[in-house]
Amino acid sequence: MPDLVLQNVTKRYGQGPNVIEGLTTMFTPGSGTGLVGPNGSGKTTLIRLLSVLSFPTSGRITYDGVNIYEHPYEYLAHVGVVPADPDLPRYLTAVEVLEYVLRARNKWDDTGPARIEQILDRLILDERRHNLIGTYSSGMLAKTQIAVALITAPEILLMDEPFRALDEESTEAAIELINQFKERGGIVVLSSHIRSTLEAVCEGYVNFERPAAPVL
């Protein structure tokens, strides 16, 4: 699988200060990279850049040597995203959403129903998977969003605080799935304030900690 490469990436909003400044790094197949730092330090901004939901002010992001902003649909076919705030259709069930995603990615076949049941079983989403998403708890929404990100067998998994609504058992189940994805050569980029989950998934880190202001 190819590398995901950032070259001297800077991002600012309007005339404000740089949120990300001159970031150069490489995410390699089979790796997990944690994004660490306080709220507002740039972690979510980087996830948005890698998801092509935002554009860098300067610099390049490439996958397999191709600029992801010049060929976004080709790139996103390889990507699964877990946003900080899941935005799922309220009037479908988890099962229906996963079928829709597989069909939209041209990955639906006779094995589709079994694959859906398997991933929801792995994430411990019970029989309420057949209820409308509008009735789900925050934990059920989180499980569904993780399933949506993984069901198409992507090559890159971008996750922004995916565990904060999960109980301990569900977190362990999700970590197991993510680590298996990584073992198959997937790239994981994970933002989380929960240090134990970062340590369970990630071998490297991008640090967004800001230096302390000088004492005058």
Side-chain angles (χ1 to χ4, degrees):
M1 293 183 185
D3 298 323
L4 178 60
V5 181
L6 285 76
Q7 297 172 300
N8 200 29
V9 171
T10 292
K11 176 64 179 180
R12 70 173 179 271
Y13 296 99
Q15 299 303 312
N18 292 336
V19 180
I20 296 173
E21 185 168 3
L23 179 59
T24 295
T25 192
M26 178 184 297
F27 304 112
T28 59
S31 70
T33 302
L35 310 182
V36 296
N39 290 336
S41 61
K43 304 186 302 299
T44 293
T45 293
L46 180 56
I47 294 288
R48 288 178 58 82
L49 289 172
L50 295 174
S51 305
V52 200
L53 292 173
S54 185
F55 294 81
T57 305
S58 61
R60 284 168 49 88
I61 302 177
T62 60
Y63 183 62
D64 199 14
V66 177
N67 189 314
I68 68 173
Y69 301 101
E70 294 176 358
H71 301 276
Y73 296 109
E74 179 181 328
Y75 163 70
L76 289 172
H78 303 287
V79 179
V81 181
V82 180
D85 298 305
D87 185 16
L88 298 166
R90 294 175 54 84
Y91 297 104
L92 295 178
T93 69
V95 172
E96 290 169 339
V97 166
L98 292 173
E99 178 176 342
Y100 170 81
V101 170
L102 285 169
R103 289 184 183 277
R105 293 283 187 96
N106 294 316
K107 293 189 175 183
W108 178 260
D109 57 26
D110 291 342
T111 69
R115 283 185 284 149
I116 290 171
E117 295 299 318
Q118 180 184 47
I119 197 167
L120 294 179
D121 286 345
R122 293 286 304 276
L123 289 166
I124 320 176
L125 185 57
D126 59 26
E127 68 279 356
R128 288 174 292 178
R129 68 187 63 174
H130 299 290
N131 294 351
L132 295 181
I133 286 172
T135 68
Y136 287 9
S137 67
S138 58
M140 294 169 66
L141 286 171
K143 293 176 186 181
T144 304
Q145 187 66 67
I146 293 170
V148 166
L150 286 169
I151 192 66
T152 59
E155 297 173 5
I156 300 168
L157 186 58
L158 308 173
M159 312 185 81
D160 194 357
E161 298 292 346
F163 308 115
R164 64 183 176 187
L166 299 181
D167 59 29
E168 183 176 356
E169 183 182 17
S170 299
T171 297
E172 291 175 356
I175 287 172
E176 183 179 19
L177 269 176
I178 294 163
N179 280 331
Q180 288 176 352
F181 166 82
K182 196 172 61 173
E183 290 166 6
R184 293 192 295 270
I187 294 171
V188 178
V189 181
L190 168 64
S191 172
S192 177
H193 288 293
I194 306 173
R195 176 64 65 172
S196 60
T197 58
L198 286 170
E199 293 172 348
V201 173
C202 303
E203 304 82 32
Y205 298 90
V206 175
N207 194 334
F208 289 87
E209 299 283 354
R210 300 193 184 280
V215 177
L216 302 178

